[in-house]
């Protein structure tokens, strides 16, 4: 059986409800997953929740609950959000799943047996919010070099994972695999770090006296496993029990692992070294995206500026939120979130451009052809509009293989603009007045309907609800595999088919919300 196109998101801490930043990662990943499904490839899309560690334990204590009860209550919010946003994950992993815990313990026992893990005394400084150990030299003015908060002096026995002796291998791997970390500026940052700093072995346990909420270290009941070591392993543990009968080789290596720029060190340094030590192949790509910000600050629960994606999807529609997130920034760059901008894009790109195009074309087919697709002449698919519609596949295909959702949408919207322009130029209402121009009228509306049908096919990847409406109203089969330009360019509409105009795709926002 062919290996699945395997893609993952980070697994989210369950210390608060998810916000727009979390929704962004999953919308990106879902769009890539849908694209590859459309290509007819078997796809495995994994997301989930990271449930152990200090952050979650503290949040549970603050809520007056046990950590298990706390996470059990919060996890459904994640699942509900992914359902609401049309996130077509194949599996949702929770790190409190016993099967995951066993897998982690098995890996630790193996690595210890191979000499990759050792036990030693630790003396140094610890930043609790970052869960990071620092040496005296690494501190900046006595504070955590990452977050500038105070650090605590620690002296304790722990287990350590050997990072240092894999540094040369990792540097060489990244240098010789240009696509391993993308975009390039992130790759350069990691390489710069590896060339100028010496990696210290990673402390991968916490004494239970300090943290109880974690996976027990094998044969050492006084220690729990460091949350990142536990969490990163989800990417290889989950599919083994998610898909019964599957082995590592059926999905690993991952094709794309998506992550935000805040967690590059863990994914581009710890994770590859863990895999290397375990004898597993490297993921093909770590795709690092930027942050959604509010003004200059990262959107985050702890800064109190988190925006609720459920409320936005309720107000503007799921597809409007997906469109905004995908179209507003290029993957890898930061974006400034503002609801005003979302409302503006809704009115201009969705209501005015796409919504209006549908409404005009469907209304005119209703009015001039009794709601049936007119029969185009042999030359009907000749105008530049038809050609640019049919060329879209080639353009979007290469952009999507490079994960450029923004430019893909821009290409599609250029065709939408051209279609609206075509209506202005052809003036079907004038053609309708002249019986000698009946075929020209039929050709005009036929081309426009074909254009909408082809856009509908591609939109399935980005805006699934809208795509479904367009295709169903035009009676075009949904979710067919589009593997090649030929699959895409064939005409989709049958003359004489009765279409449905339906409600406006994107009612003007002022009308929708009183
Ligand atoms: N639990 C770890 C990840 C473990 S993966 C083995 C974690 N969780 S998190 O909930 O804090 O954040 C996870 C991801 O959420 C980030 O990497 C990023 O993908 C996404 N985002 C969180 N805030 C974000 C923004 N403001 N903007 C964009 N993405 C953001 O780190």
């Amino acid at each position: 059986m062919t290996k699945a196109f395997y893609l993952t998101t980070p697994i989210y801490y369950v210390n608060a409800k998810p916000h727009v930043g979390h929704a962004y990662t999953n919308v990106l990943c879902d769009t890539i997953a849908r694209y590859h499904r459309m290509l007819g490839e078997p796809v495995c899309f994994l997301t989930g929740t990271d449930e152990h560690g200090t952050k979650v334990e503290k949040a549970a204590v603050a809520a007056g609950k046990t950590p298990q009860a706390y996470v059990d209550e919060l996890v459904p919010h994640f699942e509900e959000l992914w359902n609401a946003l049309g996130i077509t994950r194949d599996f949702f992993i929770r790190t409190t799943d016993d099967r995951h815990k066993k897998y982690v313990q098995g890996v630790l026992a193996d690595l210890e047996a191979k000499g990759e893990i050792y036990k030693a005394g630790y003396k140094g400084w610890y930043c609790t919010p970052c869960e990071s150990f620092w040496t005296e030299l690494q501190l900046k003015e006595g504070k955590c070099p990452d977050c500038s908060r105070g650090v605590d002096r620690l002296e304790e026995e722990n287990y350590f994972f050997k990072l240092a002796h894999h540094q040369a291998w990792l540097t060489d791997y990244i240098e010789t695999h240009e696509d391993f970390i993308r975009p390039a500026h992130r790759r350069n940052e990691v390489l710069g770090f590896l060339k100028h700093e010496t990696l210290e072995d990673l402390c991968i346990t916490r004494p239970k006296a300090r943290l109880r909420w974690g996976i027990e270290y094998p044969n050492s009941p006084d220690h729990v496993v460091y949350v990142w070591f536990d969490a990163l392993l989800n990417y290889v543990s989950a599919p083994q029990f998610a898909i019964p009968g599957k082995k590592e080789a059926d999905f690993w290596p991952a094709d794309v692992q998506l992550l935000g720029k805040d967690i590059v060190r863990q994914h581009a340094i710890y994770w590859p070294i863990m895999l290397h030590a375990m004898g597993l192949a490297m993921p093909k790509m770590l795709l690092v995206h930027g942050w959604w910000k509010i003004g200059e600050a990262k959107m985050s629960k702890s800064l109190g500026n988190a925006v609720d994606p459920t409320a936005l999807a309720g107000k503007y529609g799921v597809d409007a939120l997906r469109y905004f997130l995908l179209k507003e920034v290029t993957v890898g760059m930061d974006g400034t979130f503002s609801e005003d901008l979302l409302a503006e894009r809704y009115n201009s790109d969705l209501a005015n451009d796409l919504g209006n195009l549908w409404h005009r074309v469907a209304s005119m087919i209703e009015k001039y052809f009794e709601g049936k697709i007119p029969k185009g002449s042999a030359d009907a698919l000749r105008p530049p509009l038809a050609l640019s519609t049919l060329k879209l596949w080639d353009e979007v295909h290469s952009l999507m293989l490079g994960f450029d959702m923004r430019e893909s949408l821009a290409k599609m919207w250029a065709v939408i603009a051209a279609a609206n322009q075509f209506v202005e130029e052809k003036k079907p209402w004038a053609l309708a007045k002249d019986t000698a121009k009946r075929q020209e009228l039929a050709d005009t509306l036929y081309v426009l309907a074909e254009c909408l049908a082809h856009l509908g096919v591609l939109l399935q990847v980005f805006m699934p609800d809208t795509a479904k409406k367009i295709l169903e109203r035009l009676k075009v089969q949904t979710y067919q595999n589009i593997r090649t330009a030929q699959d895409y360019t064939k005409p989709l509409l049958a003359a004489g088919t009765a279409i449905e105009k339906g409600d406006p795709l994107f009612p003007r926002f002022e009308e929708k919300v009183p």
Side-chain angles (χ1 to χ4, degrees):
M1 121 127 216
T2 16
K3 179 191 155 316
F5 184 89
Y6 179 35
L7 68 174
T8 66
T9 71
I11 48 172
Y12 302 96
Y13 285 129
V14 239
N15 55 350
K17 287 185 195 166
H19 59 63
V20 162
H22 306 119
Y24 177 59
T25 315
N26 276 34
V27 167
L28 285 181
C29 210
D30 180 67
T31 307
I32 302 170
R34 285 175 186 267
Y35 191 74
H36 283 266
R37 285 194 201 104
M38 186 186 248
L39 293 178
E41 294 174 18
V43 169
C44 178
F45 166 13
L46 176 72
T47 189
T49 41
D50 187 355
E51 304 188 13
H52 294 122
T54 317
K55 273 190 190 157
V56 175
E57 188 177 66
K58 274 193 173 168
V61 170
K65 308 217 159 104
T66 65
Q68 190 65 55
Y70 180 74
V71 292
D72 287 348
E73 256 171 48
L74 266 180
V75 167
H77 291 288
F78 286 81
E79 295 245 50
E80 277 158 25
L81 176 63
W82 305 149
N83 288 341
L85 297 184
I87 305 297
T88 53
R89 70 261 178 214
D90 292 290
F91 192 64
F92 184 98
I93 177 155
R94 298 186 53 180
T95 52
T96 47
D97 189 312
D98 279 337
R99 297 167 295 183
H100 170 73
K101 292 190 207 166
K102 272 205 194 83
Y103 182 86
V104 172
Q105 288 171 329
V107 170
L108 288 164
D110 284 353
L111 290 178
E112 203 178 325
K114 280 186 180 168
E116 296 282 353
I117 290 177
Y118 60 92
K119 192 175 184 183
Y122 175 82
K123 269 193 201 155
W125 299 93
Y126 187 68
C127 173
T128 309
C130 294
E131 305 197 33
S132 298
F133 291 89
W134 303 109
T135 61
E136 188 78 40
L137 277 179
Q138 288 173 314
L139 296 183
K140 275 201 189 125
E141 294 166 3
K143 301 268 167 50
C144 169
D146 272 1
C147 73
S148 310
R149 283 177 276 208
V151 284
D152 299 315
R153 180 82 193 153
L154 279 190
E155 274 195 51
E156 57 193 31
E157 281 251 288
N158 270 315
Y159 289 83
F160 289 79
F161 173 54
K162 289 184 182 172
L163 287 185
H165 77 142
H166 294 295
Q167 181 160 359
W169 164 81
L170 181 61
T171 313
D172 180 62
Y173 188 86
I174 298 174
E175 275 187 322
T176 51
H177 294 79
E178 217 175 311
D179 274 347
F180 180 52
I181 303 170
R182 284 200 28 196
H185 63 274
R186 295 283 165 225
R187 172 176 185 264
N188 295 340
E189 268 171 29
V190 175
L191 275 177
F193 176 84
L194 285 170
K195 285 178 182 170
H196 296 107
E197 310 271 333
T198 305
L199 287 182
E200 304 220 358
D201 290 345
L202 182 66
C203 180
I204 55 158
T205 52
R206 304 290 180 262
K208 267 207 186 151
R210 198 149 61 73
L211 172 70
R212 298 198 65 77
W213 183 234
I215 300 178
E216 245 175 43
Y217 193 87
N219 306 318
S220 186
D222 293 338
H223 286 100
V224 296
V225 178
Y226 172 42
V227 66
W228 271 101
F229 200 92
D230 152 7
L232 287 163
L233 285 171
N234 92 87
Y235 301 133
V236 276
S237 78
Q240 315 206 12
F241 51 83
I243 313 164
K246 285 281 175 286
K247 307 177 299 301
E248 260 152 18
D250 297 324
F251 55 86
W252 195 259
D255 292 83
V256 192
Q257 299 209 263
L258 256 111
L259 52 131
K261 66 178 185 181
D262 43 339
I263 51 177
V264 172
R265 177 164 43 108
Q266 292 85 347
H267 283 82
I269 296 180
Y270 304 165
W271 180 225
I273 294 182
M274 285 164 68
L275 289 165
H276 185 58
M278 288 159 70
L280 290 181
M282 294 304 115
K284 290 188 195 143
M285 183 183 294
L286 301 171
L287 184 57
V288 185
H289 66 73
W291 283 343
W292 281 98
K293 294 183 168 181
I294 301 284
E296 285 307 303
K298 179 191 180 197
M299 185 190 298
S300 92
K301 175 73 188 173
S302 56
L303 292 175
N305 61 3
V307 179
D308 175 10
T310 311
L312 287 176
K315 192 163 164 189
Y316 298 88
V318 175
D319 280 359
L321 179 59
R322 288 178 66 115
Y323 175 82
F324 180 78
L325 295 176
L326 294 167
K327 179 72 201 315
E328 211 50 34
V329 293
T330 301
V331 176
M333 309 306 282
D334 290 344
T336 303
F337 186 86
S338 107
E339 191 179 334
D340 286 349
L341 197 58
L342 169 56
E344 207 178 301
R345 297 284 184 256
Y346 178 93
N347 282 331
S348 63
D349 301 11
L350 303 181
N352 280 358
D353 296 347
L354 178 57
N356 193 31
L357 177 65
W358 169 262
H359 185 75
R360 295 165 108 180
V361 174
S363 303
M364 290 190 287
I365 291 179
E366 200 167 65
K367 190 161 171 196
Y368 306 132
F369 292 94
E370 292 160 349
K372 295 188 180 133
I373 301 283
K375 186 162 173 44
S377 65
D379 287 341
L381 292 180
R382 291 265 161 86
L385 172 64
L387 301 182
S388 48
T389 300
L390 299 181
K391 220 176 67 194
L392 256 187
W393 158 264
D394 278 335
E395 293 173 334
V396 169
H397 184 58
S398 59
L399 287 166
M400 285 304 287
L401 294 183
F403 311 107
D404 195 341
M405 319 339 145
R406 182 186 203 198
E407 202 44 39
S408 301
L409 285 169
K411 295 277 182 214
M412 291 159 70
W413 255 254
V415 169
I416 293 170
N420 276 317
Q421 181 68 27
F422 187 70
V423 175
E424 297 302 324
E425 283 162 16
K426 283 291 193 180
K427 299 191 180 27
W429 48 91
L431 297 175
K433 291 192 181 129
D434 185 345
T435 42
K437 301 228 164 118
R438 186 74 186 156
Q439 189 57 50
E440 194 178 344
L441 177 64
D443 284 358
T444 302
L445 291 177
Y446 170 66
V447 170
L448 286 162
E450 278 289 359
C451 175
L452 277 162
H454 283 84
L455 284 165
V457 167
L458 290 176
L459 278 173
Q460 293 182 102
V461 171
F462 306 90
M463 300 169 72
D465 290 350
T466 308
K468 191 163 181 271
K469 280 186 194 160
I470 293 177
L471 295 176
E472 283 181 359
R473 290 174 185 188
L474 289 173
K475 312 278 161 56
V476 175
Q477 191 198 333
T478 50
Y479 298 105
Q480 44 198 328
N481 291 340
I482 309 286
R483 294 192 175 90
T484 62
Q486 283 76 15
D487 293 336
Y488 175 74
T489 49
K490 61 177 191 279
L492 295 170
L493 300 171
T497 308
I499 67 160
E500 287 159 41
K501 184 168 137 197
D503 297 335
L505 291 177
F506 301 99
R508 299 272 317 165
F509 193 60
E510 307 80 68
E511 293 158 23
K512 205 174 155 196
V513 179

